[in-house]
Amino acid sequence: MSLQPSEASSELLSPAAGDKRLLLGCSAEEGERADSPAEAAGSEQDERAAALAAAEEEEEGGGGGEKKLPPQLTEPRAASGSLETGPKNDISPFSSFISTISQKQDDTGSGSSPTEFVIADIKNAKELPSLGHDVRQKQRTSVDILTAEMKVSVPPEHPLPIQTKTLVDFREDIEKAKLSGDWKTVYDFYSKTFDSFPEINTAFKKNIDAPFNSIEDCGVDAKFVNAVYDALLSSPQDIQKCVLKGIINGLLQEWKGPRTKDDLRAYFVLIQNPLFSTTSTFVIYAHLLRQIAALTEGDHHFLIHWFKKISQKRFKQVLDRLLQFISLRLFPAKPEELPPLEKCSWWIPSAAKVLSLFNTSNSLANPSIVPYMDFYNSTLDHIDVMEEYHNWQCYGNSQRFSFCQYPFIISIAAKKVIIQKDSEQQMINIARQSLVDKVSRRQRPDMNMLFLNVKVRRMHLVSDSLDELTRKRADLKKKLKVTFVGEAGLDMGGLTKEWFLLLIRQIFHPDYGMFTYHKDSHCHWFSSLNCDNYSEFRLVGALMGLAVYNSITLDIRFPLCCYKKLLSPPIVPCDQNAPVGIGSVTIDDLCRVMPELAHGLNELLSYEGNVEEDFYSTFQVFQEEFGVIKCYNLKPDGDKIAVTNQNRKEYVQLYVDFLLNKSIYKQFAAFYYGFHSVCASYALMLLRPEEVEILVCGSPELDMHSLQKHTQYDGYQKTDLTVRYFWEVVLEFPLELQKKLLHFATGSDRVPVGGMADLNFKISKSEASTNWLPVAHTCFNQLCLPPYKTKKELKQKLTIGISNAEGFGLE
């Protein structure tokens, strides 16, 4: 199997030309199940469909050209024969409409060849899955980037009818309808507005005469759109039906012809329609998604930037509808309401592609419109994620769909399952190979050969650990077991955790010199001091990898850009001379490490005076090394180039790149190779930098009620007075004291990916006097609590204990 890092995004090919089911892609029986759409389309709908079919037939016969059809966005399947149609009196009007259109498609010609493109997730600094193939439209390029010679080929914007309603008029009509009960005027407005793409533009375009070809302004009156959709939800059902009917007409009319920006505006308006929240409208919604997903890269470019202008509330609503669409397609509450999954397998790929547009838009926005976790679909936690992973791993850019092509949808919990099971499989493979090698040399197998056995002395912890991991580099993917020399005991998990805690505590101590602790940002960063041997940085990387591999949470405080650099690239390049760990860093990344310096650079960027005369700086940076000030040029002959108002942005970017990349390149490269020597896996390609941080350090989100629910007791019952006092006190603690309690008891103030349930927190009864403070065994996440008699006494002793614990509170 060969899979390069850029191949994490696997596109889906369009189907064989022989499979040409059109707008609703299902049989008449399937269409009959879609209740609301069925009611929405009456005899008038049948007449429209028949007229449209006749018009298409006339156009096809007269034009003599090839008929362009909407693409299927999934793998080819056997072309079905004639559509299954029941007795005429058993088919609803909407089903008859579906049957007419689907049959019409079966009689048409083949589609055109696909065109490939990829939308990049800028924030992730790695490619996202391909957004689909255009199999029916001419290549469309942004008008803004075309040369003068090429602009003549861009389809002109067709003139639109004159607007008849304003937002004020519409609101007046709604108020009159509510008072009088006569909704005819409102009905006529909705019926006309949503009957076609030109009418949508007529109603909502800010200025009919302006083309609005800019990515920054879609030209749509957002307030008017929001008001129309808000009123639609509380309007009579007849109005909602006529809107659905009109959308069907609009989508049918969009089978052919190249897109204009007015068409994109119509898609932009339709994707926000709140009626698509129910399964009865999913058939129409699916085809809207398919048409949007099949647009060209240039059109997606416009939509991505237009989506950034949607308010956070509306953006979240569209996002939730898309996620719900996928969830209910996978696990329908009433399966009879939807067509069989095997007959509309393109639904989910289409929705995933449109979601990727919104994800890219969210990543480009600064700050993000919604948190990246809002894109998680928790429903996927209940499917076979390993099958999805193996399909993606094995088939790469082939026709088989996998959710791993769209990793932003997969929750961190599901990704952890993938990484753990992938790690376990690698452990098993390595152990099996060791066993085979032993037997082939006619040596007696030993159980210890199945583990990574690390033996260390407490007084020489770092050097012994480095020697052990260096000698046993081939065993790093085996299950870890730690032994402290001269101490009895088997490692059932406690010794391993203690080894991690003690080693991290020693390595990150400021006196050790490997890392610098920045008090104002509360994080560590790599020391830029040159040294002869960077093997200890490789050890730290290996430790982080082993922690992820063995599901251990570490108390490490690295900024986010460290994890961004760890994924640059996510797979170790075959060329050993290729640069690694060079992240795309910004002044925002520097602010998370050295906020004061970042503030000074921002002041330089915003300075309104003469930068050259007032600052008198050159393209140099000065650093103190062992008491000696050394200077480095940020670019060739930097000492001779003055920083001016014109080049200050370049100066700041080079300064940031020097501090976070170039000055620590050797240190970080060793750290990078150490981490990937353990964690080398294609599963890393699924992760965001924030998710790598959570896997290594845990989540900062505390839920003490959940901790109370999952706590185990030894010597106490959860109904005992002392235990009840304890939880009353803890739940009343401010967040800072809650974090201190967690740090005191577990060695870290962060929560594992699986939540408090994975913490295995235990409260044991201590036989010590109530005059004593609580004691913690961090290796076992155990808190020993004397039987305090009053709530006041317990609060006092617990606060003193957790506020004055030294280091990790190890005993």
Side-chain angles (χ1 to χ4, degrees):
M1 178 201 68
S2 175
L3 182 64
Q4 298 301 321
S6 61
E7 294 173 6
S9 45
S10 302
E11 65 273 8
L12 301 171
L13 300 180
S14 52
D19 190 340
K20 298 169 186 166
R21 298 229 174 148
L22 206 47
L23 180 63
L24 297 173
C26 55
S27 68
E29 294 175 1
E30 294 156 11
E32 195 172 8
R33 297 189 190 104
D35 300 330
S36 287
E39 298 171 8
S43 58
E44 180 186 353
Q45 185 67 57
D46 288 334
E47 292 172 4
R48 293 187 184 190
L52 178 61
E56 288 173 351
E57 187 172 346
E58 180 181 350
E59 179 183 350
E60 187 175 359
E66 184 181 54
K67 179 69 176 173
K68 295 183 180 291
L69 301 173
Q72 294 279 43
L73 296 177
T74 185
E75 63 270 18
R77 58 183 187 271
S80 56
S82 60
L83 292 175
E84 299 176 5
T85 54
K88 189 171 183 179
N89 57 356
D90 291 339
I91 301 177
S92 69
F94 187 64
S95 299
S96 174
F97 164 67
I98 296 170
S99 180
T100 302
I101 299 305
S102 298
Q103 186 61 49
K104 181 63 188 172
Q105 182 185 6
D106 287 338
D107 297 334
T108 56
S110 60
S112 55
S113 60
T115 302
E116 176 183 353
F117 62 90
V118 172
I119 292 293
D121 183 341
I122 305 301
K123 195 170 184 180
N124 253 358
K126 55 185 178 182
E127 288 184 341
L128 284 181
S130 165
L131 292 172
H133 296 273
D134 176 22
V135 299
R136 76 197 192 287
Q137 302 168 14
K138 296 176 183 178
Q139 181 66 33
R140 297 187 299 276
T141 310
S142 165
V143 174
D144 299 337
I145 61 174
L146 288 178
T147 62
E149 294 77 10
M150 293 180 63
K151 285 185 179 180
V152 294
S153 65
V154 178
E157 306 280 348
H158 297 293
L160 299 174
I162 299 175
Q163 289 177 339
T164 57
K165 292 283 184 183
T166 64
L167 176 57
V168 175
D169 295 335
F170 174 76
R171 285 174 172 166
E172 289 178 355
D173 290 344
I174 291 293
E175 290 302 320
K176 290 178 182 178
K178 288 180 179 179
L179 292 174
S180 66
D182 182 6
W183 290 84
K184 184 179 185 307
T185 304
V186 177
Y187 180 95
D188 291 342
F189 169 80
Y190 277 105
S191 179
K192 181 180 179 182
T193 297
F194 289 95
D195 190 58
S196 67
F197 281 21
E199 291 290 353
I200 291 175
N201 278 273
T202 297
F204 300 120
K205 198 172 177 181
K206 293 178 185 176
N207 187 338
I208 295 297
D209 300 325
F212 286 107
N213 285 331
S214 166
I215 62 173
E216 298 302 326
D217 187 359
C218 63
V220 170
D221 187 342
K223 290 184 178 179
F224 199 0
V225 173
N226 295 340
V228 168
Y229 279 148
D230 288 343
L232 179 60
L233 289 175
S234 57
S235 297
Q237 200 170 23
D238 287 347
I239 294 179
Q240 298 181 13
K241 292 177 182 178
C242 81
V243 169
L244 292 172
K245 208 162 44 171
I247 292 174
I248 295 172
N249 281 344
L251 294 178
L252 287 173
Q253 293 164 12
E254 291 307 311
W255 285 351
K256 54 190 179 296
R259 296 285 182 268
T260 66
K261 294 302 174 292
D262 281 340
D263 296 320
L264 298 186
R265 270 181 279 276
Y267 286 126
F268 174 76
V269 171
L270 290 178
I271 195 65
Q272 301 179 59
N273 195 316
L275 294 182
F276 295 129
S277 298
T278 59
T279 54
S280 58
T281 62
F282 276 8
V283 175
I284 303 173
Y285 192 33
H287 287 271
L288 170 63
L289 297 178
R290 181 169 71 171
Q291 290 193 15
I292 295 176
L295 294 172
T296 63
E297 182 181 9
D299 291 339
H300 282 151
H301 175 70
F302 274 83
L303 287 177
I304 285 169
H305 286 276
W306 290 354
F307 289 154
K308 290 194 302 182
K309 305 301 181 181
I310 300 177
S311 69
Q312 183 186 45
K313 174 186 174 182
R314 308 284 172 174
F315 191 98
K316 185 70 165 61
Q317 288 173 347
V318 177
L319 177 58
D320 289 344
R321 279 194 291 272
L322 285 164
L323 293 173
Q324 176 185 265
F325 176 81
I326 292 176
S327 299
L328 292 178
R329 177 64 277 186
L330 286 173
F331 302 104
K334 297 180 179 179
E336 67 276 3
E337 289 185 349
L338 298 175
L341 185 58
E342 63 273 9
K343 291 191 176 182
C344 53
S345 56
W346 50 269
W347 282 26
I348 290 177
S350 297
K353 289 175 189 295
V354 175
L355 266 172
S356 67
L357 294 176
F358 280 90
N359 179 63
T360 305
S361 180
N362 190 59
S363 299
L364 290 175
N366 188 18
S368 298
I369 303 169
V370 297
Y372 71 90
M373 294 85 73
D374 285 358
F375 283 85
Y376 288 164
N377 190 328
S378 57
T379 305
L380 303 186
D381 296 353
H382 305 287
I383 67 173
D384 188 347
V385 289
M386 289 312 295
E387 181 181 0
E388 297 290 322
Y389 176 67
H390 290 141
N391 285 339
W392 171 70
Q393 196 177 20
C394 297
Y395 294 95
N397 285 355
S398 72
Q399 304 169 7
R400 184 167 300 194
F401 172 79
S402 168
F403 281 108
C404 291
Q405 295 166 353
Y406 305 92
F408 57 86
I409 305 177
I410 304 174
S411 71
I412 182 64
K415 288 173 183 173
K416 183 185 178 185
V417 170
I418 292 175
I419 289 176
Q420 281 184 330
K421 290 188 179 297
D422 190 50
S423 300
E424 289 170 4
Q425 188 58 51
Q426 291 188 47
M427 287 180 182
I428 292 170
N429 292 339
I430 295 293
R432 182 185 293 125
Q433 187 60 47
S434 298
L435 186 62
V436 170
D437 292 344
K438 202 87 169 178
V439 172
S440 64
R441 292 195 296 266
R442 297 188 178 183
Q443 297 175 346
R444 178 176 295 180
D446 182 2
M447 281 300 296
N448 286 326
M449 62 182 291
L450 303 178
F451 298 93
L452 168 60
N453 295 288
V454 175
K455 294 184 179 181
V456 293
R457 297 167 294 176
R458 288 187 182 270
M459 298 303 294
H460 303 84
L461 194 62
V462 175
S463 59
D464 283 1
S465 299
L466 181 59
D467 290 342
E468 286 281 271
L469 297 183
T470 302
R471 283 192 305 108
K472 299 175 179 178
R473 188 173 297 176
D475 297 334
L476 292 180
K477 291 183 180 291
K478 295 179 181 179
K479 184 69 176 176
L480 176 63
K481 282 193 177 296
V482 176
T483 303
F484 287 94
V485 176
E487 300 180 16
L490 296 175
D491 185 8
M492 304 301 291
L495 294 179
T496 294
K497 185 174 181 182
E498 183 179 6
W499 176 68
F500 273 113
L501 293 178
L502 291 172
L503 196 53
I504 291 297
R505 182 185 185 185
Q506 187 167 332
I507 287 176
F508 281 86
H509 196 282
D511 293 343
Y512 206 74
M514 287 180 62
F515 298 94
T516 303
Y517 183 72
H518 296 270
K519 292 183 179 180
D520 45 357
S521 61
H522 305 290
C523 72
H524 290 95
W525 191 243
F526 296 77
S527 171
S528 59
L529 299 178
N530 293 320
C531 57
D532 298 329
N533 190 352
Y534 296 96
S535 58
E536 290 182 338
F537 287 99
R538 189 179 183 105
L539 169 63
V540 178
L543 281 175
M544 278 182 51
L546 286 170
V548 172
Y549 220 61
N550 292 272
S551 300
I552 301 290
T553 300
L554 298 182
D555 187 32
I556 294 180
R557 305 303 171 108
F558 281 136
L560 184 62
C561 63
C562 173
Y563 302 98
K564 184 191 298 185
K565 287 160 64 68
L566 265 183
L567 295 177
S568 303
I571 302 297
V572 177
C574 299
D575 182 4
Q576 294 183 351
N577 295 321
V580 295
I582 301 293
S584 176
V585 292
T586 66
I587 196 168
D588 290 336
D589 294 312
L590 182 65
C591 187
R592 293 188 177 98
V593 184
M594 310 169 193
E596 288 187 6
L597 177 58
H599 177 73
L601 293 176
N602 274 319
E603 289 287 322
L604 173 65
L605 290 174
S606 60
Y607 187 68
E608 296 181 356
N610 189 309
V611 170
E612 183 176 5
E613 293 181 358
D614 295 346
F615 286 86
Y616 200 68
S617 299
T618 57
F619 276 70
Q620 288 179 298
V621 60
F622 299 90
Q623 286 189 330
E624 181 181 349
E625 297 180 9
F626 301 109
V628 178
I629 302 296
K630 291 189 175 182
C631 63
Y632 298 91
N633 286 345
L634 295 177
K635 59 189 299 186
D637 297 325
D639 55 328
K640 301 175 184 177
I641 303 174
V643 179
T644 66
N645 293 64
Q646 289 72 36
N647 64 18
R648 57 184 170 181
K649 286 185 178 179
E650 180 190 11
Y651 168 76
V652 168
Q653 182 56 42
L654 290 174
Y655 200 142
V656 172
D657 184 63
F658 176 83
L659 292 176
L660 301 184
N661 282 326
K662 292 181 180 177
S663 66
I664 59 162
Y665 177 75
K666 292 182 179 179
Q667 294 90 324
F668 197 91
F671 174 76
Y672 172 95
Y673 282 116
F675 179 81
H676 287 272
S677 67
V678 184
C679 270
S681 169
Y682 289 112
L684 288 178
M685 299 171 70
L686 305 176
L687 299 175
R688 295 172 58 96
E690 297 93 336
E691 293 170 331
V692 178
E693 180 182 17
I694 290 174
L695 286 173
V696 172
C697 307
S699 169
E701 301 296 326
L702 299 188
D703 184 353
M704 303 310 284
H705 289 282
S706 178
L707 181 63
Q708 179 184 12
K709 178 181 176 182
H710 294 100
T711 296
Q712 305 168 26
Y713 299 96
D714 180 18
Y716 280 120
Q717 300 291 329
K718 63 180 179 181
T719 55
D720 288 347
L721 198 59
T722 302
V723 172
R724 285 158 51 193
Y725 287 156
F726 173 81
W727 288 114
E728 287 176 12
V729 168
V730 170
L731 295 175
E732 290 171 359
F733 271 165
L735 179 61
E736 193 60 34
L737 280 180
Q738 289 179 345
K739 286 186 175 183
K740 286 185 177 181
L741 169 65
L742 204 61
H743 193 282
F744 175 76
T746 69
S748 172
D749 62 3
R750 297 168 73 100
V751 184
V753 173
M756 293 297 189
D758 281 5
L759 204 58
N760 296 320
F761 182 64
K762 178 186 286 188
I763 297 178
S764 299
K765 187 174 185 178
S766 172
E767 299 302 331
S769 168
T770 54
N771 293 326
W772 286 48
L773 298 176
V775 175
H777 301 285
T778 53
C779 299
F780 301 101
N781 298 339
Q782 184 178 12
L783 178 68
C784 297
L785 200 63
Y788 300 115
K789 301 300 182 185
T790 66
K791 179 179 176 180
K792 180 179 179 181
E793 182 184 19
L794 186 145
K795 182 177 182 179
Q796 181 186 24
K797 294 290 197 301
L798 184 62
T799 303
I800 293 173
I802 64 178
S803 300
N804 296 279
E806 184 164 343
F808 293 97
L810 286 170
E811 194 182 83

